[in-house]
Amino acid sequence: MGLVRANLPVEFFCTTGKCTTCRLRVEMTGDSAKPPSETEQYRLGIEAIAKGYRLACQVFVTGDMRVFLP
Ligand code: FES
């Protein structure tokens, strides 16, 4: 399930990884989601990704994770 479809109060607009409206921080264990895509790396930058920021519309959830809403 994509994180923007998880019934959380996450704002989103494009759902293609371009607008960054859905930016949020997550904490997860190893296999709760795939690593950031090239789109996320480009839009968010290495520092934000290192701090746990992701684009909710690009995160396909496969396990438990903690989400910090903006
Ligand atoms: S909704 Fe635009 S980047 Fe996620």
Short mmCIF file of all heavy atoms in Angstrom, two decimals:
data_model
loop_
_atom_site.label_atom_id
_atom_site.label_comp_id
_atom_site.label_asym_id
_atom_site.label_seq_id
_atom_site.Cartn_x
_atom_site.Cartn_y
_atom_site.Cartn_z
N MET A 1 0.85 -1.19 0.00
CA MET A 1 0.00 0.00 0.00
C MET A 1 0.89 1.23 0.00
O MET A 1 1.85 1.31 0.73
CB MET A 1 -0.90 0.01 1.24
CG MET A 1 -1.63 1.33 1.44
SD MET A 1 -2.49 1.49 3.02
CE MET A 1 -3.68 0.20 2.88
N GLY A 2 0.56 2.18 -0.83
CA GLY A 2 1.27 3.45 -0.83
C GLY A 2 0.91 4.23 0.43
O GLY A 2 -0.23 4.20 0.89
N LEU A 3 1.87 4.91 0.99
CA LEU A 3 1.65 5.61 2.26
C LEU A 3 0.56 6.68 2.16
O LEU A 3 -0.14 6.93 3.12
CB LEU A 3 2.97 6.22 2.73
CG LEU A 3 3.07 6.71 4.16
CD1 LEU A 3 2.52 5.70 5.15
CD2 LEU A 3 4.51 7.02 4.49
N VAL A 4 0.37 7.31 1.03
CA VAL A 4 -0.69 8.32 0.93
C VAL A 4 -2.08 7.68 0.94
O VAL A 4 -3.07 8.36 1.13
CB VAL A 4 -0.58 9.20 -0.35
CG1 VAL A 4 0.63 10.11 -0.28
CG2 VAL A 4 -0.58 8.37 -1.60
N ARG A 5 -2.14 6.36 0.80
CA ARG A 5 -3.43 5.67 0.81
C ARG A 5 -3.69 4.98 2.15
O ARG A 5 -4.60 4.16 2.25
CB ARG A 5 -3.48 4.66 -0.33
CG ARG A 5 -3.44 5.33 -1.68
CD ARG A 5 -3.92 4.41 -2.77
NE ARG A 5 -4.07 5.16 -4.01
CZ ARG A 5 -3.21 5.10 -5.01
NH1 ARG A 5 -2.16 4.33 -4.93
NH2 ARG A 5 -3.40 5.80 -6.11
N ALA A 6 -2.90 5.29 3.14
CA ALA A 6 -3.01 4.62 4.44
C ALA A 6 -3.99 5.31 5.38
O ALA A 6 -4.01 5.03 6.56
CB ALA A 6 -1.64 4.54 5.10
N ASN A 7 -4.83 6.19 4.86
CA ASN A 7 -5.83 6.88 5.68
C ASN A 7 -5.22 7.79 6.73
O ASN A 7 -5.81 8.02 7.78
CB ASN A 7 -6.78 5.89 6.35
CG ASN A 7 -8.11 5.84 5.65
OD1 ASN A 7 -8.36 6.64 4.74
ND2 ASN A 7 -8.96 4.93 6.08
N LEU A 8 -4.03 8.29 6.48
CA LEU A 8 -3.40 9.26 7.37
C LEU A 8 -3.71 10.66 6.82
O LEU A 8 -3.90 10.82 5.63
CB LEU A 8 -1.89 9.06 7.40
CG LEU A 8 -1.40 7.72 7.93
CD1 LEU A 8 0.10 7.58 7.69
CD2 LEU A 8 -1.72 7.59 9.40
N PRO A 9 -3.71 11.66 7.71
CA PRO A 9 -3.97 13.03 7.23
C PRO A 9 -2.73 13.62 6.55
O PRO A 9 -2.13 14.56 7.04
CB PRO A 9 -4.35 13.78 8.51
CG PRO A 9 -3.66 13.04 9.59
CD PRO A 9 -3.61 11.59 9.16
N VAL A 10 -2.36 13.03 5.44
CA VAL A 10 -1.20 13.49 4.67
C VAL A 10 -1.69 14.26 3.45
O VAL A 10 -2.48 13.75 2.66
CB VAL A 10 -0.35 12.29 4.20
CG1 VAL A 10 0.82 12.75 3.34
CG2 VAL A 10 0.13 11.49 5.39
N GLU A 11 -1.22 15.49 3.32
CA GLU A 11 -1.58 16.26 2.13
C GLU A 11 -0.78 15.76 0.95
O GLU A 11 0.39 15.40 1.08
CB GLU A 11 -1.27 17.74 2.36
CG GLU A 11 -2.22 18.40 3.34
CD GLU A 11 -2.03 19.90 3.37
OE1 GLU A 11 -1.73 20.49 2.32
OE2 GLU A 11 -2.16 20.46 4.46
N PHE A 12 -1.41 15.70 -0.19
CA PHE A 12 -0.70 15.32 -1.40
C PHE A 12 -1.37 15.99 -2.59
O PHE A 12 -2.50 16.44 -2.50
CB PHE A 12 -0.63 13.80 -1.56
CG PHE A 12 -1.97 13.12 -1.66
CD1 PHE A 12 -2.51 12.83 -2.90
CD2 PHE A 12 -2.67 12.78 -0.53
CE1 PHE A 12 -3.73 12.20 -3.01
CE2 PHE A 12 -3.90 12.16 -0.61
CZ PHE A 12 -4.43 11.86 -1.85
N PHE A 13 -0.66 16.05 -3.68
CA PHE A 13 -1.18 16.72 -4.86
C PHE A 13 -0.90 15.91 -6.12
O PHE A 13 -1.80 15.40 -6.76
CB PHE A 13 -0.57 18.13 -4.97
CG PHE A 13 -1.09 18.91 -6.13
CD1 PHE A 13 -2.39 19.37 -6.16
CD2 PHE A 13 -0.27 19.19 -7.21
CE1 PHE A 13 -2.87 20.07 -7.24
CE2 PHE A 13 -0.73 19.89 -8.29
CZ PHE A 13 -2.04 20.34 -8.31
N CYS A 14 0.36 15.78 -6.48
CA CYS A 14 0.68 15.19 -7.79
C CYS A 14 0.65 13.66 -7.79
O CYS A 14 0.34 13.06 -8.80
CB CYS A 14 2.03 15.68 -8.27
SG CYS A 14 3.45 14.97 -7.37
N THR A 15 1.03 13.05 -6.68
CA THR A 15 1.20 11.60 -6.53
C THR A 15 2.23 11.00 -7.51
O THR A 15 2.23 9.80 -7.74
CB THR A 15 -0.13 10.81 -6.66
OG1 THR A 15 -0.61 10.87 -7.99
CG2 THR A 15 -1.17 11.32 -5.69
N THR A 16 3.09 11.82 -8.05
CA THR A 16 4.13 11.33 -8.96
C THR A 16 5.53 11.63 -8.44
O THR A 16 6.51 11.38 -9.15
CB THR A 16 3.97 11.94 -10.36
OG1 THR A 16 4.09 13.36 -10.26
CG2 THR A 16 2.64 11.57 -10.98
N GLY A 17 5.64 12.21 -7.25
CA GLY A 17 6.95 12.49 -6.69
C GLY A 17 7.56 13.82 -7.12
O GLY A 17 8.74 14.04 -6.94
N LYS A 18 6.77 14.70 -7.69
CA LYS A 18 7.33 15.95 -8.21
C LYS A 18 7.06 17.17 -7.33
O LYS A 18 7.89 18.07 -7.27
CB LYS A 18 6.79 16.21 -9.61
CG LYS A 18 7.31 15.20 -10.60
CD LYS A 18 6.81 15.47 -11.99
CE LYS A 18 7.39 14.41 -12.93
NZ LYS A 18 6.67 14.32 -14.17
N CYS A 19 5.92 17.24 -6.66
CA CYS A 19 5.57 18.48 -5.95
C CYS A 19 6.14 18.55 -4.53
O CYS A 19 6.25 19.63 -3.97
CB CYS A 19 4.05 18.64 -5.91
SG CYS A 19 3.21 17.52 -4.79
N THR A 20 6.45 17.44 -3.92
CA THR A 20 6.94 17.27 -2.55
C THR A 20 5.94 17.70 -1.47
O THR A 20 6.30 17.83 -0.31
CB THR A 20 8.31 17.97 -2.30
OG1 THR A 20 8.14 19.38 -2.30
CG2 THR A 20 9.34 17.57 -3.33
N THR A 21 4.69 17.89 -1.83
CA THR A 21 3.65 18.23 -0.84
C THR A 21 3.53 17.16 0.23
O THR A 21 3.25 17.45 1.39
CB THR A 21 2.29 18.38 -1.55
OG1 THR A 21 2.41 19.37 -2.56
CG2 THR A 21 1.19 18.78 -0.57
N CYS A 22 3.77 15.93 -0.12
CA CYS A 22 3.55 14.80 0.79
C CYS A 22 4.78 14.47 1.63
O CYS A 22 4.83 13.42 2.28
CB CYS A 22 3.11 13.58 0.00
SG CYS A 22 4.38 12.99 -1.15
N ARG A 23 5.76 15.33 1.65
CA ARG A 23 7.01 15.09 2.39
C ARG A 23 6.71 14.86 3.87
O ARG A 23 5.98 15.63 4.49
CB ARG A 23 7.91 16.30 2.22
CG ARG A 23 9.25 16.25 2.88
CD ARG A 23 9.94 17.59 2.60
NE ARG A 23 11.32 17.62 3.01
CZ ARG A 23 11.73 18.12 4.17
NH1 ARG A 23 10.86 18.63 5.03
NH2 ARG A 23 13.01 18.12 4.47
N LEU A 24 7.26 13.83 4.44
CA LEU A 24 7.12 13.54 5.87
C LEU A 24 8.29 12.69 6.33
O LEU A 24 9.05 12.18 5.52
CB LEU A 24 5.79 12.87 6.19
CG LEU A 24 5.31 11.69 5.35
CD1 LEU A 24 6.16 10.47 5.55
CD2 LEU A 24 3.86 11.38 5.68
N ARG A 25 8.40 12.55 7.64
CA ARG A 25 9.50 11.76 8.19
C ARG A 25 8.98 10.42 8.70
O ARG A 25 7.89 10.37 9.28
CB ARG A 25 10.19 12.52 9.33
CG ARG A 25 11.48 11.87 9.80
CD ARG A 25 12.27 12.80 10.70
NE ARG A 25 11.65 12.98 12.00
CZ ARG A 25 11.82 12.15 13.04
NH1 ARG A 25 12.58 11.08 12.92
NH2 ARG A 25 11.25 12.41 14.19
N VAL A 26 9.73 9.39 8.46
CA VAL A 26 9.34 8.06 8.93
C VAL A 26 10.52 7.39 9.64
O VAL A 26 11.68 7.73 9.39
CB VAL A 26 8.87 7.16 7.76
CG1 VAL A 26 7.68 7.76 7.05
CG2 VAL A 26 9.99 6.89 6.78
N GLU A 27 10.18 6.48 10.52
CA GLU A 27 11.17 5.58 11.12
C GLU A 27 10.68 4.18 10.83
O GLU A 27 9.51 3.87 11.05
CB GLU A 27 11.26 5.80 12.63
CG GLU A 27 12.00 7.04 13.03
CD GLU A 27 12.05 7.22 14.55
OE1 GLU A 27 11.55 6.34 15.29
OE2 GLU A 27 12.58 8.25 14.99
N MET A 28 11.56 3.33 10.33
CA MET A 28 11.13 1.99 9.98
C MET A 28 12.25 0.99 10.20
O MET A 28 13.41 1.36 10.27
CB MET A 28 10.67 1.95 8.54
CG MET A 28 11.74 2.26 7.53
SD MET A 28 11.07 2.22 5.87
CE MET A 28 11.31 3.92 5.41
N THR A 29 11.85 -0.26 10.29
CA THR A 29 12.84 -1.32 10.35
C THR A 29 13.27 -1.65 8.92
O THR A 29 12.66 -1.16 7.96
CB THR A 29 12.25 -2.56 11.03
OG1 THR A 29 11.09 -2.96 10.31
CG2 THR A 29 11.91 -2.27 12.48
N GLY A 30 14.24 -2.49 8.77
CA GLY A 30 14.88 -2.75 7.49
C GLY A 30 13.99 -2.96 6.29
O GLY A 30 14.23 -2.39 5.24
N ASP A 31 12.95 -3.77 6.40
CA ASP A 31 12.19 -4.11 5.20
C ASP A 31 10.76 -3.59 5.21
O ASP A 31 9.88 -4.18 4.61
CB ASP A 31 12.20 -5.62 5.01
CG ASP A 31 11.60 -6.36 6.19
OD1 ASP A 31 11.31 -5.70 7.21
OD2 ASP A 31 11.42 -7.58 6.10
N SER A 32 10.52 -2.47 5.86
CA SER A 32 9.18 -1.89 5.91
C SER A 32 8.82 -1.14 4.64
O SER A 32 7.65 -0.84 4.40
CB SER A 32 9.02 -0.95 7.11
OG SER A 32 9.21 -1.65 8.30
N ALA A 33 9.81 -0.83 3.84
CA ALA A 33 9.58 -0.16 2.56
C ALA A 33 10.86 -0.24 1.75
O ALA A 33 11.94 -0.44 2.29
CB ALA A 33 9.19 1.30 2.78
N LYS A 34 10.72 -0.11 0.46
CA LYS A 34 11.90 -0.09 -0.40
C LYS A 34 12.70 1.17 -0.11
O LYS A 34 12.14 2.17 0.35
CB LYS A 34 11.48 -0.11 -1.86
CG LYS A 34 10.95 -1.46 -2.30
CD LYS A 34 10.67 -1.46 -3.78
CE LYS A 34 10.20 -2.84 -4.21
NZ LYS A 34 9.79 -2.88 -5.60
N PRO A 35 13.98 1.16 -0.43
CA PRO A 35 14.79 2.37 -0.25
C PRO A 35 14.25 3.51 -1.12
O PRO A 35 13.50 3.28 -2.07
CB PRO A 35 16.18 1.94 -0.74
CG PRO A 35 16.17 0.46 -0.75
CD PRO A 35 14.75 0.03 -0.94
N PRO A 36 14.61 4.74 -0.80
CA PRO A 36 14.13 5.89 -1.58
C PRO A 36 14.45 5.72 -3.07
O PRO A 36 15.55 5.31 -3.44
CB PRO A 36 14.90 7.07 -1.00
CG PRO A 36 15.26 6.64 0.38
CD PRO A 36 15.46 5.16 0.31
N SER A 37 13.47 6.04 -3.88
CA SER A 37 13.63 5.94 -5.33
C SER A 37 14.54 7.07 -5.83
O SER A 37 14.87 8.00 -5.08
CB SER A 37 12.27 6.06 -6.01
OG SER A 37 11.75 7.37 -5.80
N GLU A 38 14.94 6.99 -7.09
CA GLU A 38 15.73 8.08 -7.68
C GLU A 38 14.97 9.40 -7.61
O GLU A 38 15.56 10.45 -7.37
CB GLU A 38 16.08 7.76 -9.13
CG GLU A 38 17.15 6.72 -9.27
CD GLU A 38 17.56 6.50 -10.71
OE1 GLU A 38 17.36 7.42 -11.54
OE2 GLU A 38 18.07 5.42 -11.02
N THR A 39 13.66 9.35 -7.81
CA THR A 39 12.84 10.56 -7.72
C THR A 39 12.90 11.16 -6.33
O THR A 39 13.09 12.36 -6.16
CB THR A 39 11.37 10.24 -8.08
OG1 THR A 39 11.32 9.75 -9.41
CG2 THR A 39 10.48 11.46 -7.93
N GLU A 40 12.75 10.32 -5.30
CA GLU A 40 12.83 10.83 -3.93
C GLU A 40 14.22 11.39 -3.64
O GLU A 40 14.34 12.44 -3.00
CB GLU A 40 12.52 9.71 -2.93
CG GLU A 40 11.07 9.31 -2.89
CD GLU A 40 10.84 8.24 -1.85
OE1 GLU A 40 11.09 7.06 -2.17
OE2 GLU A 40 10.44 8.60 -0.74
N GLN A 41 15.25 10.70 -4.09
CA GLN A 41 16.61 11.18 -3.84
C GLN A 41 16.82 12.55 -4.49
O GLN A 41 17.42 13.45 -3.89
CB GLN A 41 17.62 10.18 -4.37
CG GLN A 41 17.62 8.87 -3.58
CD GLN A 41 18.58 7.86 -4.17
OE1 GLN A 41 19.69 8.21 -4.54
NE2 GLN A 41 18.16 6.62 -4.26
N TYR A 42 16.29 12.69 -5.69
CA TYR A 42 16.46 13.95 -6.41
C TYR A 42 15.65 15.08 -5.75
O TYR A 42 16.16 16.19 -5.55
CB TYR A 42 16.02 13.77 -7.87
CG TYR A 42 16.04 15.03 -8.67
CD1 TYR A 42 17.25 15.60 -9.07
CD2 TYR A 42 14.86 15.69 -9.01
CE1 TYR A 42 17.28 16.76 -9.80
CE2 TYR A 42 14.88 16.86 -9.74
CZ TYR A 42 16.09 17.40 -10.14
OH TYR A 42 16.11 18.56 -10.86
N ARG A 43 14.42 14.81 -5.41
CA ARG A 43 13.53 15.85 -4.86
C ARG A 43 13.86 16.21 -3.41
O ARG A 43 13.70 17.37 -3.00
CB ARG A 43 12.07 15.42 -4.95
CG ARG A 43 11.56 15.25 -6.35
CD ARG A 43 11.46 16.56 -7.06
NE ARG A 43 11.09 16.33 -8.45
CZ ARG A 43 11.03 17.29 -9.36
NH1 ARG A 43 11.30 18.52 -9.04
NH2 ARG A 43 10.70 17.00 -10.59
N LEU A 44 14.25 15.23 -2.60
CA LEU A 44 14.47 15.49 -1.18
C LEU A 44 15.92 15.83 -0.85
O LEU A 44 16.18 16.59 0.07
CB LEU A 44 14.04 14.26 -0.36
CG LEU A 44 12.55 13.93 -0.39
CD1 LEU A 44 12.30 12.58 0.27
CD2 LEU A 44 11.75 15.02 0.29
N GLY A 45 16.83 15.21 -1.55
CA GLY A 45 18.25 15.43 -1.26
C GLY A 45 18.74 14.45 -0.21
O GLY A 45 17.98 13.92 0.59
N ILE A 46 20.04 14.23 -0.25
CA ILE A 46 20.66 13.20 0.59
C ILE A 46 20.53 13.49 2.09
O ILE A 46 20.30 12.60 2.90
CB ILE A 46 22.13 13.04 0.15
CG1 ILE A 46 22.34 11.68 -0.42
CG2 ILE A 46 23.12 13.32 1.24
CD1 ILE A 46 23.67 11.50 -1.11
N GLU A 47 20.62 14.77 2.49
CA GLU A 47 20.53 15.10 3.92
C GLU A 47 19.15 14.79 4.48
O GLU A 47 19.02 14.23 5.57
CB GLU A 47 20.85 16.58 4.14
CG GLU A 47 22.33 16.89 4.13
CD GLU A 47 22.62 18.33 4.50
OE1 GLU A 47 21.88 18.90 5.33
OE2 GLU A 47 23.58 18.88 3.94
N ALA A 48 18.10 15.18 3.77
CA ALA A 48 16.74 14.92 4.25
C ALA A 48 16.46 13.43 4.30
O ALA A 48 15.86 12.92 5.26
CB ALA A 48 15.72 15.62 3.35
N ILE A 49 16.92 12.71 3.31
CA ILE A 49 16.71 11.26 3.31
C ILE A 49 17.44 10.62 4.47
O ILE A 49 16.91 9.73 5.14
CB ILE A 49 17.14 10.67 1.95
CG1 ILE A 49 16.09 11.04 0.91
CG2 ILE A 49 17.30 9.15 2.04
CD1 ILE A 49 16.39 10.62 -0.49
N ALA A 50 18.64 11.09 4.78
CA ALA A 50 19.39 10.55 5.91
C ALA A 50 18.65 10.80 7.23
O ALA A 50 18.79 10.05 8.18
CB ALA A 50 20.78 11.17 5.96
N LYS A 51 17.84 11.85 7.28
CA LYS A 51 17.06 12.15 8.48
C LYS A 51 15.73 11.40 8.51
O LYS A 51 14.95 11.55 9.43
CB LYS A 51 16.79 13.66 8.57
CG LYS A 51 18.05 14.47 8.84
CD LYS A 51 17.74 15.94 8.83
CE LYS A 51 19.01 16.75 9.06
NZ LYS A 51 18.80 18.19 8.84
N GLY A 52 15.45 10.63 7.48
CA GLY A 52 14.24 9.81 7.46
C GLY A 52 13.09 10.40 6.66
O GLY A 52 11.99 9.87 6.69
N TYR A 53 13.34 11.46 5.92
CA TYR A 53 12.26 12.05 5.13
C TYR A 53 12.01 11.24 3.88
O TYR A 53 12.94 10.71 3.26
CB TYR A 53 12.57 13.51 4.76
CG TYR A 53 12.38 14.43 5.93
CD1 TYR A 53 13.44 14.74 6.77
CD2 TYR A 53 11.13 14.97 6.22
CE1 TYR A 53 13.27 15.56 7.87
CE2 TYR A 53 10.95 15.78 7.32
CZ TYR A 53 12.02 16.08 8.13
OH TYR A 53 11.84 16.88 9.23
N ARG A 54 10.75 11.10 3.54
CA ARG A 54 10.32 10.40 2.34
C ARG A 54 9.16 11.15 1.71
O ARG A 54 8.56 12.01 2.33
CB ARG A 54 9.85 8.97 2.69
CG ARG A 54 10.87 8.09 3.36
CD ARG A 54 11.99 7.66 2.44
NE ARG A 54 11.53 6.96 1.26
CZ ARG A 54 11.48 5.63 1.15
NH1 ARG A 54 11.86 4.88 2.16
NH2 ARG A 54 11.07 5.05 0.03
N LEU A 55 8.86 10.78 0.49
CA LEU A 55 7.66 11.29 -0.17
C LEU A 55 6.60 10.22 -0.03
O LEU A 55 6.73 9.12 -0.57
CB LEU A 55 7.94 11.59 -1.65
CG LEU A 55 8.96 12.68 -1.92
CD1 LEU A 55 9.22 12.81 -3.41
CD2 LEU A 55 8.48 14.02 -1.35
N ALA A 56 5.54 10.54 0.70
CA ALA A 56 4.52 9.54 1.02
C ALA A 56 3.94 8.89 -0.23
O ALA A 56 3.61 7.70 -0.22
CB ALA A 56 3.41 10.16 1.86
N CYS A 57 3.85 9.63 -1.30
CA CYS A 57 3.25 9.06 -2.52
C CYS A 57 4.18 8.07 -3.19
O CYS A 57 3.75 7.32 -4.07
CB CYS A 57 2.84 10.16 -3.49
SG CYS A 57 4.22 11.00 -4.30
N GLN A 58 5.43 8.02 -2.78
CA GLN A 58 6.40 7.12 -3.41
C GLN A 58 6.78 5.94 -2.53
O GLN A 58 7.51 5.06 -2.96
CB GLN A 58 7.68 7.90 -3.77
CG GLN A 58 7.46 9.08 -4.69
CD GLN A 58 6.90 8.64 -6.03
OE1 GLN A 58 7.54 7.88 -6.74
NE2 GLN A 58 5.70 9.09 -6.37
N VAL A 59 6.27 5.92 -1.30
CA VAL A 59 6.63 4.86 -0.37
C VAL A 59 5.59 3.74 -0.43
O VAL A 59 4.42 3.95 -0.12
CB VAL A 59 6.71 5.40 1.08
CG1 VAL A 59 7.04 4.28 2.04
CG2 VAL A 59 7.76 6.50 1.18
N PHE A 60 6.03 2.57 -0.84
CA PHE A 60 5.17 1.40 -0.85
C PHE A 60 5.43 0.63 0.43
O PHE A 60 6.51 0.06 0.63
CB PHE A 60 5.46 0.53 -2.07
CG PHE A 60 4.48 -0.59 -2.23
CD1 PHE A 60 3.23 -0.37 -2.78
CD2 PHE A 60 4.81 -1.87 -1.79
CE1 PHE A 60 2.32 -1.42 -2.91
CE2 PHE A 60 3.91 -2.91 -1.92
CZ PHE A 60 2.66 -2.69 -2.48
N VAL A 61 4.45 0.64 1.33
CA VAL A 61 4.62 0.10 2.68
C VAL A 61 4.48 -1.42 2.67
O VAL A 61 3.50 -1.96 2.17
CB VAL A 61 3.58 0.71 3.64
CG1 VAL A 61 3.77 0.16 5.04
CG2 VAL A 61 3.69 2.22 3.65
N THR A 62 5.47 -2.11 3.28
CA THR A 62 5.42 -3.57 3.36
C THR A 62 5.58 -4.07 4.79
O THR A 62 5.68 -5.26 5.01
CB THR A 62 6.52 -4.20 2.48
OG1 THR A 62 7.78 -3.67 2.91
CG2 THR A 62 6.30 -3.88 1.01
N GLY A 63 5.62 -3.15 5.75
CA GLY A 63 5.79 -3.56 7.14
C GLY A 63 5.51 -2.39 8.07
O GLY A 63 5.01 -1.35 7.65
N ASP A 64 5.84 -2.58 9.34
CA ASP A 64 5.59 -1.55 10.33
C ASP A 64 6.51 -0.36 10.13
O ASP A 64 7.68 -0.51 9.79
CB ASP A 64 5.81 -2.11 11.74
CG ASP A 64 4.80 -3.16 12.10
OD1 ASP A 64 3.69 -3.16 11.50
OD2 ASP A 64 5.09 -4.00 12.97
N MET A 65 5.98 0.81 10.38
CA MET A 65 6.80 2.03 10.39
C MET A 65 6.11 3.09 11.24
O MET A 65 4.90 3.04 11.44
CB MET A 65 7.06 2.55 8.98
CG MET A 65 5.87 3.09 8.25
SD MET A 65 6.27 3.86 6.67
CE MET A 65 7.15 2.59 5.83
N ARG A 66 6.90 3.98 11.76
CA ARG A 66 6.39 5.11 12.53
C ARG A 66 6.43 6.33 11.63
O ARG A 66 7.46 6.62 11.01
CB ARG A 66 7.26 5.35 13.77
CG ARG A 66 6.78 6.51 14.62
CD ARG A 66 7.66 6.70 15.81
NE ARG A 66 7.46 5.56 16.73
CZ ARG A 66 8.06 5.44 17.89
NH1 ARG A 66 8.88 6.35 18.31
NH2 ARG A 66 7.83 4.39 18.64
N VAL A 67 5.30 7.04 11.56
CA VAL A 67 5.18 8.19 10.67
C VAL A 67 5.02 9.45 11.51
O VAL A 67 4.18 9.49 12.41
CB VAL A 67 3.96 8.03 9.74
CG1 VAL A 67 3.77 9.25 8.86
CG2 VAL A 67 4.08 6.76 8.90
N PHE A 68 5.83 10.45 11.21
CA PHE A 68 5.74 11.74 11.90
C PHE A 68 5.07 12.72 10.96
O PHE A 68 5.65 13.11 9.94
CB PHE A 68 7.14 12.23 12.28
CG PHE A 68 7.83 11.30 13.25
CD1 PHE A 68 8.59 10.25 12.77
CD2 PHE A 68 7.69 11.47 14.61
CE1 PHE A 68 9.22 9.37 13.65
CE2 PHE A 68 8.31 10.60 15.50
CZ PHE A 68 9.07 9.54 15.02
N LEU A 69 3.85 13.09 11.29
CA LEU A 69 3.08 13.99 10.42
C LEU A 69 3.54 15.41 10.61
O LEU A 69 3.85 15.83 11.72
CB LEU A 69 1.59 13.85 10.73
CG LEU A 69 1.03 12.44 10.48
CD1 LEU A 69 -0.39 12.35 10.99
CD2 LEU A 69 1.11 12.08 9.01
N PRO A 70 3.58 16.17 9.53
CA PRO A 70 4.02 17.59 9.63
C PRO A 70 3.02 18.44 10.40
O PRO A 70 1.88 18.11 10.50
CB PRO A 70 4.13 18.03 8.18
CG PRO A 70 3.32 17.06 7.39
CD PRO A 70 3.26 15.79 8.20
S1 FES B 1 2.09 14.18 -3.84
FE1 FES B 1 3.50 15.28 -5.01
S2 FES B 1 5.38 14.43 -4.43
FE2 FES B 1 3.95 13.25 -3.38
#
